[in-house]
Amino acid sequence: MLSKDLLGISLLEKEDIIEILKLAKAMKKDVVAKKVDDSILKNRILATLFYENSTRTRVSFELAGQHLGAKTVTIVAATSSIQKGESLLDNGYTLDALGADFIVLRHSIAGASHILARATQASVINGGDGANEHPTQALLDALTMQEYFNTFQDLKVTIMGDIKHSRVAKSNIYLLNKMGAKVTIFAPNTLLPRGIEALGVKVAKTKEEALQGANVVMGLRIQLERMEAGLYPSFSEYNKYFGVCVDDLKFADTKAIVLHPGPVNRNVELTSNVIDGEQSQIYNQVTSGIAVRMAVLKLLKAGKN
Ligand code: NCD
Protein backbone atom coordinates (compact mmCIF):
# COMPACT_ATOMS: atom_id res chain seq x y z
CA MET A 1 0.00 0.00 0.00
CA LEU A 2 1.37 3.43 -0.96
CA SER A 3 1.89 5.73 2.02
CA LYS A 4 3.30 9.26 1.87
CA ASP A 5 5.55 9.26 -1.22
CA LEU A 6 6.31 7.43 -4.46
CA LEU A 7 10.09 7.53 -4.86
CA GLY A 8 10.96 4.41 -6.81
CA ILE A 9 9.72 1.06 -8.08
CA SER A 10 12.53 -0.61 -6.12
CA LEU A 11 10.66 0.35 -2.93
CA LEU A 12 7.31 -1.12 -4.02
CA GLU A 13 5.92 -4.60 -3.44
CA LYS A 14 4.40 -6.60 -6.30
CA GLU A 15 0.98 -6.08 -4.64
CA ASP A 16 1.43 -2.27 -4.78
CA ILE A 17 2.13 -2.45 -8.51
CA ILE A 18 -0.92 -4.67 -9.09
CA GLU A 19 -3.09 -2.24 -7.10
CA ILE A 20 -1.85 0.82 -9.03
CA LEU A 21 -2.32 -0.91 -12.40
CA LYS A 22 -5.81 -2.09 -11.51
CA LEU A 23 -6.91 1.42 -10.57
CA ALA A 24 -5.08 2.95 -13.54
CA LYS A 25 -6.89 0.59 -15.94
CA ALA A 26 -10.25 1.88 -14.67
CA MET A 27 -9.00 5.48 -14.65
CA LYS A 28 -7.88 5.17 -18.29
CA LYS A 29 -11.39 4.16 -19.34
CA ASP A 30 -12.76 7.21 -17.50
CA VAL A 31 -10.18 9.55 -19.06
CA VAL A 32 -10.88 8.31 -22.58
CA ALA A 33 -14.66 8.61 -21.98
CA LYS A 34 -14.12 12.05 -20.36
CA LYS A 35 -16.04 10.87 -17.30
CA VAL A 36 -13.58 11.38 -14.47
CA ASP A 37 -14.72 11.95 -10.87
CA ASP A 38 -13.27 15.39 -10.14
CA SER A 39 -14.17 15.34 -6.45
CA ILE A 40 -11.33 12.94 -5.55
CA LEU A 41 -8.69 15.67 -5.11
CA LYS A 42 -11.02 18.61 -4.49
CA ASN A 43 -9.25 21.37 -2.50
CA ARG A 44 -5.87 19.63 -2.94
CA ILE A 45 -2.86 21.31 -4.50
CA LEU A 46 -0.35 19.62 -6.78
CA ALA A 47 2.94 21.34 -7.57
CA THR A 48 5.28 20.21 -10.32
CA LEU A 49 8.88 21.21 -9.54
CA PHE A 50 11.05 20.55 -12.57
CA TYR A 51 14.80 21.18 -12.66
CA GLU A 52 15.10 19.36 -16.00
CA ASN A 53 13.21 19.70 -19.27
CA SER A 54 9.99 17.81 -19.78
CA THR A 55 6.85 17.84 -21.90
CA ARG A 56 4.99 14.59 -21.30
CA THR A 57 5.71 13.93 -17.64
CA ARG A 58 4.97 17.43 -16.37
CA VAL A 59 1.85 18.02 -18.47
CA SER A 60 0.58 14.54 -17.71
CA PHE A 61 0.91 15.02 -13.92
CA GLU A 62 -0.81 18.40 -14.17
CA LEU A 63 -3.68 16.98 -16.23
CA ALA A 64 -3.95 13.99 -13.89
CA GLY A 65 -4.30 16.35 -10.92
CA GLN A 66 -6.78 18.59 -12.74
CA HIS A 67 -8.91 15.64 -13.88
CA LEU A 68 -9.29 14.65 -10.22
CA GLY A 69 -10.18 18.21 -9.19
CA ALA A 70 -6.85 19.42 -7.74
CA LYS A 71 -5.40 22.88 -8.29
CA THR A 72 -2.04 22.65 -10.05
CA VAL A 73 0.97 24.93 -10.04
CA THR A 74 4.10 24.67 -12.16
CA ILE A 75 7.60 25.58 -11.06
CA VAL A 76 10.18 25.35 -13.81
CA ALA A 77 13.79 25.91 -12.71
CA ALA A 78 14.63 28.19 -15.61
CA THR A 79 11.97 30.78 -14.66
CA SER A 80 11.83 30.43 -10.85
CA SER A 81 13.75 31.61 -7.79
CA ILE A 82 15.98 28.55 -8.32
CA GLN A 83 17.82 30.89 -10.69
CA LYS A 84 18.44 33.17 -7.70
CA GLY A 85 20.13 30.32 -5.86
CA GLU A 86 17.23 28.93 -3.82
CA SER A 87 17.98 25.37 -2.71
CA LEU A 88 15.88 22.26 -3.26
CA LEU A 89 14.98 22.03 0.42
CA ASP A 90 14.04 25.72 0.64
CA ASN A 91 11.79 25.17 -2.35
CA GLY A 92 10.21 22.24 -0.51
CA TYR A 93 9.59 24.28 2.65
CA THR A 94 8.08 27.08 0.53
CA LEU A 95 5.77 24.66 -1.28
CA ASP A 96 4.69 23.19 2.09
CA ALA A 97 3.91 26.71 3.32
CA LEU A 98 1.94 27.39 0.14
CA GLY A 99 -0.17 24.37 1.04
CA ALA A 100 1.00 21.88 -1.58
CA ASP A 101 -0.31 18.37 -0.95
CA PHE A 102 1.77 16.78 -3.72
CA ILE A 103 5.14 17.76 -5.17
CA VAL A 104 6.26 16.06 -8.36
CA LEU A 105 10.02 16.51 -8.58
CA ARG A 106 12.29 16.09 -11.58
CA HIS A 107 15.95 16.61 -10.79
CA SER A 108 19.30 15.75 -12.36
CA ILE A 109 20.68 14.28 -9.12
CA ALA A 110 19.92 10.65 -8.22
CA GLY A 111 18.19 10.55 -4.82
CA ALA A 112 16.93 14.16 -4.94
CA SER A 113 13.31 13.07 -4.37
CA HIS A 114 14.34 11.10 -1.24
CA ILE A 115 15.96 14.23 0.21
CA LEU A 116 12.89 16.34 -0.55
CA ALA A 117 10.48 13.72 0.81
CA ARG A 118 12.24 13.60 4.17
CA ALA A 119 11.89 17.38 4.52
CA THR A 120 8.31 18.02 3.39
CA GLN A 121 4.81 17.41 4.65
CA ALA A 122 3.66 17.12 1.04
CA SER A 123 3.68 13.76 -0.72
CA VAL A 124 6.67 13.65 -3.05
CA ILE A 125 6.49 11.82 -6.35
CA ASN A 126 9.72 11.16 -8.19
CA GLY A 127 9.25 12.43 -11.74
CA GLY A 128 12.77 11.31 -12.66
CA ASP A 129 15.97 11.69 -10.60
CA GLY A 130 19.17 11.64 -12.65
CA ALA A 131 19.94 8.15 -13.91
CA ASN A 132 18.21 6.54 -10.90
CA GLU A 133 14.43 6.02 -11.24
CA HIS A 134 11.31 7.25 -13.02
CA PRO A 135 8.61 5.15 -11.35
CA THR A 136 5.51 6.49 -13.09
CA GLN A 137 7.14 5.91 -16.49
CA ALA A 138 7.63 2.21 -15.70
CA LEU A 139 4.04 2.02 -14.41
CA LEU A 140 2.63 3.58 -17.57
CA ASP A 141 4.75 1.24 -19.69
CA ALA A 142 3.37 -1.67 -17.65
CA LEU A 143 -0.22 -0.47 -18.07
CA THR A 144 0.33 -0.33 -21.84
CA MET A 145 1.88 -3.83 -21.91
CA GLN A 146 -0.92 -5.21 -19.74
CA GLU A 147 -3.52 -4.04 -22.27
CA TYR A 148 -1.94 -6.27 -24.90
CA PHE A 149 -0.72 -9.25 -22.93
CA ASN A 150 -2.82 -9.32 -19.76
CA THR A 151 -0.04 -11.00 -17.79
CA PHE A 152 3.63 -10.22 -17.22
CA GLN A 153 4.57 -13.81 -16.44
CA ASP A 154 7.36 -14.81 -18.87
CA LEU A 155 6.64 -11.82 -21.09
CA LYS A 156 9.78 -11.16 -23.09
CA VAL A 157 10.67 -7.48 -22.94
CA THR A 158 13.70 -6.18 -24.83
CA ILE A 159 15.05 -2.79 -23.78
CA MET A 160 17.46 -1.23 -26.28
CA GLY A 161 19.43 1.99 -26.10
CA ASP A 162 21.24 4.08 -23.56
CA ILE A 163 20.75 1.86 -20.52
CA LYS A 164 23.61 3.44 -18.61
CA HIS A 165 22.06 6.89 -18.28
CA SER A 166 18.43 5.75 -18.21
CA ARG A 167 16.20 5.99 -15.15
CA VAL A 168 13.43 4.57 -17.36
CA ALA A 169 15.44 1.38 -17.93
CA LYS A 170 16.09 0.94 -14.21
CA SER A 171 12.49 1.47 -13.12
CA ASN A 172 11.31 -0.88 -15.87
CA ILE A 173 13.80 -3.57 -14.90
CA TYR A 174 12.71 -3.40 -11.24
CA LEU A 175 9.02 -3.53 -12.17
CA LEU A 176 9.23 -6.24 -14.80
CA ASN A 177 11.36 -8.48 -12.57
CA LYS A 178 8.89 -8.14 -9.71
CA MET A 179 6.05 -9.03 -12.08
CA GLY A 180 7.72 -12.14 -13.55
CA ALA A 181 8.68 -10.86 -17.00
CA LYS A 182 11.97 -11.74 -18.73
CA VAL A 183 14.05 -8.68 -19.55
CA THR A 184 16.76 -8.61 -22.21
CA ILE A 185 18.86 -5.52 -22.78
CA PHE A 186 20.99 -4.48 -25.73
CA ALA A 187 23.27 -1.46 -26.04
CA PRO A 188 26.79 -0.50 -27.09
CA ASN A 189 29.21 -1.59 -24.36
CA THR A 190 29.89 2.07 -23.58
CA LEU A 191 26.20 2.59 -22.73
CA LEU A 192 25.80 -0.52 -20.54
CA PRO A 193 26.29 -0.04 -16.80
CA ARG A 194 28.90 -2.38 -15.34
CA GLY A 195 27.33 -5.31 -13.49
CA ILE A 196 23.83 -4.75 -14.93
CA GLU A 197 23.31 -8.56 -15.00
CA ALA A 198 23.06 -8.41 -11.20
CA LEU A 199 19.67 -6.73 -11.66
CA GLY A 200 18.42 -9.98 -13.19
CA VAL A 201 18.52 -9.14 -16.90
CA LYS A 202 20.00 -10.94 -19.85
CA VAL A 203 22.49 -8.90 -21.89
CA ALA A 204 22.19 -9.73 -25.61
CA LYS A 205 25.31 -9.71 -27.78
CA THR A 206 23.64 -9.02 -31.12
CA LYS A 207 20.56 -7.15 -32.27
CA GLU A 208 19.09 -10.38 -33.63
CA GLU A 209 19.58 -12.15 -30.30
CA ALA A 210 18.03 -9.19 -28.46
CA LEU A 211 14.90 -9.09 -30.60
CA GLN A 212 14.36 -12.85 -31.11
CA GLY A 213 10.82 -13.66 -29.97
CA ALA A 214 10.38 -10.38 -28.08
CA ASN A 215 6.81 -9.46 -27.10
CA VAL A 216 7.75 -5.89 -26.25
CA VAL A 217 10.49 -3.86 -27.91
CA MET A 218 11.35 -0.73 -25.95
CA GLY A 219 13.67 1.89 -27.44
CA LEU A 220 15.40 4.40 -25.19
CA ARG A 221 16.78 7.82 -26.09
CA ILE A 222 20.51 8.48 -26.13
CA GLN A 223 20.82 10.80 -23.12
CA LEU A 224 23.23 13.34 -24.56
CA GLU A 225 22.71 15.63 -21.56
CA ARG A 226 24.12 12.99 -19.19
CA MET A 227 26.98 11.78 -21.30
CA GLU A 228 30.60 12.62 -21.89
CA ALA A 229 31.56 12.72 -25.59
CA GLY A 230 32.55 9.66 -27.58
CA LEU A 231 30.33 6.90 -26.15
CA TYR A 232 28.98 5.97 -29.58
CA PRO A 233 30.35 6.65 -33.09
CA SER A 234 27.59 8.63 -34.85
CA PHE A 235 23.80 8.74 -34.96
CA SER A 236 23.67 6.90 -38.29
CA GLU A 237 26.02 4.13 -37.14
CA TYR A 238 24.13 3.89 -33.86
CA ASN A 239 20.92 3.41 -35.83
CA LYS A 240 22.45 0.70 -38.00
CA TYR A 241 23.89 -1.40 -35.17
CA PHE A 242 21.66 -0.59 -32.19
CA GLY A 243 18.49 1.03 -33.56
CA VAL A 244 15.33 -0.74 -34.70
CA CYS A 245 14.00 -0.61 -38.27
CA VAL A 246 11.04 -2.46 -39.79
CA ASP A 247 13.27 -5.34 -40.96
CA ASP A 248 14.67 -5.80 -37.44
CA LEU A 249 11.14 -6.17 -36.07
CA LYS A 250 10.81 -9.41 -38.06
CA PHE A 251 12.95 -11.15 -35.43
CA ALA A 252 10.41 -10.22 -32.74
CA ASP A 253 7.12 -11.99 -32.09
CA THR A 254 4.60 -11.22 -34.83
CA LYS A 255 2.31 -9.62 -32.23
CA ALA A 256 5.10 -7.58 -30.61
CA ILE A 257 4.45 -3.99 -29.59
CA VAL A 258 6.97 -1.15 -29.76
CA LEU A 259 7.37 1.32 -26.90
CA HIS A 260 9.50 4.42 -26.30
CA PRO A 261 9.15 6.84 -23.37
CA GLY A 262 9.81 9.83 -25.60
CA PRO A 263 11.19 12.16 -26.61
CA VAL A 264 12.33 10.05 -29.59
CA ASN A 265 15.30 10.91 -31.74
CA ARG A 266 13.69 9.88 -35.01
CA ASN A 267 15.85 7.49 -37.06
CA VAL A 268 18.30 6.99 -34.19
CA GLU A 269 16.70 4.63 -31.62
CA LEU A 270 13.79 3.75 -33.94
CA THR A 271 13.28 4.52 -37.61
CA SER A 272 10.35 6.75 -38.53
CA ASN A 273 8.39 3.89 -40.06
CA VAL A 274 8.68 1.94 -36.79
CA ILE A 275 7.57 4.96 -34.73
CA ASP A 276 4.57 5.53 -37.00
CA GLY A 277 3.98 1.83 -37.74
CA GLU A 278 1.15 -0.43 -36.65
CA GLN A 279 3.08 -2.05 -33.80
CA SER A 280 3.95 1.26 -32.18
CA GLN A 281 2.13 2.13 -28.95
CA ILE A 282 4.12 5.30 -28.30
CA TYR A 283 1.10 7.63 -28.19
CA ASN A 284 -0.97 5.11 -26.28
CA GLN A 285 1.80 5.23 -23.66
CA VAL A 286 1.16 8.95 -23.26
CA THR A 287 -2.54 8.31 -22.56
CA SER A 288 -1.62 5.53 -20.13
CA GLY A 289 0.58 8.09 -18.37
CA ILE A 290 -2.34 10.28 -17.34
CA ALA A 291 -4.25 7.28 -15.96
CA VAL A 292 -1.29 5.90 -14.01
CA ARG A 293 -0.59 9.30 -12.45
CA MET A 294 -4.26 9.71 -11.49
CA ALA A 295 -4.15 6.31 -9.80
CA VAL A 296 -0.95 7.18 -7.95
CA LEU A 297 -2.36 10.51 -6.74
CA LYS A 298 -5.55 8.87 -5.51
CA LEU A 299 -3.67 6.10 -3.69
CA LEU A 300 -1.18 8.50 -2.11
CA LYS A 301 -4.05 10.63 -0.83
CA ALA A 302 -5.67 7.54 0.67
CA GLY A 303 -2.33 6.37 2.11
CA LYS A 304 -1.81 9.64 3.94
CA ASN A 305 -5.27 9.84 5.48
C1 NCD B 1 12.28 10.07 -20.07
C2 NCD B 1 12.96 10.79 -18.93
O1 NCD B 1 12.91 12.01 -18.82
O2 NCD B 1 13.58 10.08 -18.16
N1 NCD B 1 11.25 10.78 -20.70
C3 NCD B 1 10.01 10.86 -20.15
O3 NCD B 1 9.84 11.02 -18.96
N2 NCD B 1 8.99 10.69 -21.00
C4 NCD B 1 13.22 9.53 -21.05
C5 NCD B 1 14.12 10.49 -21.79
O4 NCD B 1 14.22 11.66 -21.49
O5 NCD B 1 14.77 9.99 -22.71
Side-chain angles (χ1 to χ4, degrees):
M1 166 124 179
L2 293 189
S3 52
K4 179 179 167 279
D5 311 297
L6 174 62
L7 304 179
I9 300 290
S10 56
L11 304 169
L12 297 184
E13 303 292 335
K14 182 176 178 181
E15 290 64 36
D16 300 323
I17 296 167
I18 292 171
E19 187 185 22
I20 296 168
L21 293 180
K22 189 171 165 215
L23 184 56
K25 186 178 171 188
M27 292 280 194
K28 189 168 174 182
K29 269 203 198 121
D30 292 348
V31 168
V32 172
K34 303 208 178 276
K35 281 189 182 150
V36 178
D37 175 0
D38 63 0
S39 68
I40 293 170
L41 292 184
K42 194 164 182 277
N43 296 326
R44 305 283 158 142
I45 297 171
L46 177 140
T48 49
L49 176 57
F50 275 54
Y51 288 72
E52 280 190 352
N53 297 341
S54 166
T55 304
R56 270 155 285 258
T57 305
R58 185 176 57 72
V59 173
S60 161
F61 267 111
E62 289 170 5
L63 285 177
Q66 288 167 17
H67 285 326
L68 298 174
K71 298 185 183 78
T72 58
V73 286
T74 309
I75 302 114
V76 174
T79 56
S80 73
S81 55
I82 294 165
Q83 289 304 322
K84 299 180 184 168
E86 189 161 37
S87 74
L88 173 61
L89 287 186
D90 284 331
N91 263 303
Y93 301 139
T94 304
L95 286 171
D96 263 353
L98 287 169
D101 299 283
F102 303 96
I103 304 172
V104 182
L105 176 69
R106 171 164 289 189
H107 203 285
S108 57
I109 294 174
S113 62
H114 291 254
I115 295 170
L116 187 68
R118 275 200 292 272
T120 56
Q121 306 278 316
S123 289
V124 173
I125 303 169
N126 182 1
D129 60 334
N132 182 37
E133 278 228 47
H134 189 352
T136 57
Q137 180 68 45
L139 287 161
L140 78 86
D141 292 337
L143 182 65
T144 311
M145 291 179 214
Q146 188 180 261
E147 272 171 26
Y148 282 83
F149 304 105
N150 237 323
T151 171
F152 295 94
Q153 197 56 50
D154 297 328
L155 193 70
K156 188 175 173 206
V157 182
T158 298
I159 306 179
M160 299 174 67
D162 182 357
I163 312 288
K164 183 176 179 185
H165 300 99
S166 176
R167 50 199 175 207
V168 176
K170 294 195 194 66
S171 288
N172 261 290
I173 291 169
Y174 296 137
L175 185 147
L176 291 164
N177 277 344
K178 284 180 204 254
M179 301 303 288
K182 291 195 158 56
V183 182
T184 300
I185 57 174
F186 182 57
N189 270 333
T190 48
L191 297 179
L192 270 178
R194 206 184 284 241
I196 183 83
E197 293 89 343
L199 292 185
V201 296
K202 181 179 151 194
V203 179
K205 294 207 169 43
T206 62
K207 205 198 288 190
E208 181 177 344
E209 183 194 348
L211 290 170
Q212 201 69 53
N215 303 110
V216 178
V217 177
M218 183 185 295
L220 295 179
R221 186 176 65 91
I222 297 188
Q223 308 259 315
L224 288 173
E225 71 276 28
R226 278 182 241 290
M227 167 181 308
E228 63 273 35
L231 293 184
Y232 63 96
S234 70
F235 273 162
S236 62
E237 270 187 293
Y238 181 90
N239 180 255
K240 182 163 174 221
Y241 295 108
F242 298 97
V244 179
C245 67
V246 169
D247 271 353
D248 296 324
L249 274 184
K250 292 185 181 135
F251 296 121
D253 188 82
T254 47
K255 293 200 175 87
I257 61 168
V258 175
L259 304 182
H260 191 300
V264 188
N265 295 306
R266 273 189 185 252
N267 299 317
V268 181
E269 300 93 55
L270 306 174
T271 54
S272 258
N273 47 11
V274 170
I275 296 168
D276 302 325
E278 275 181 4
Q279 288 167 281
S280 168
Q281 293 302 317
I282 293 174
Y283 294 102
N284 186 19
Q285 283 174 274
V286 178
T287 312
S288 296
I290 302 183
V292 151
R293 288 162 181 139
M294 287 165 65
V296 165
L297 291 170
K298 184 177 176 185
L299 292 169
L300 284 175
K301 181 195 160 213
K304 247 176 116 177
N305 285 344

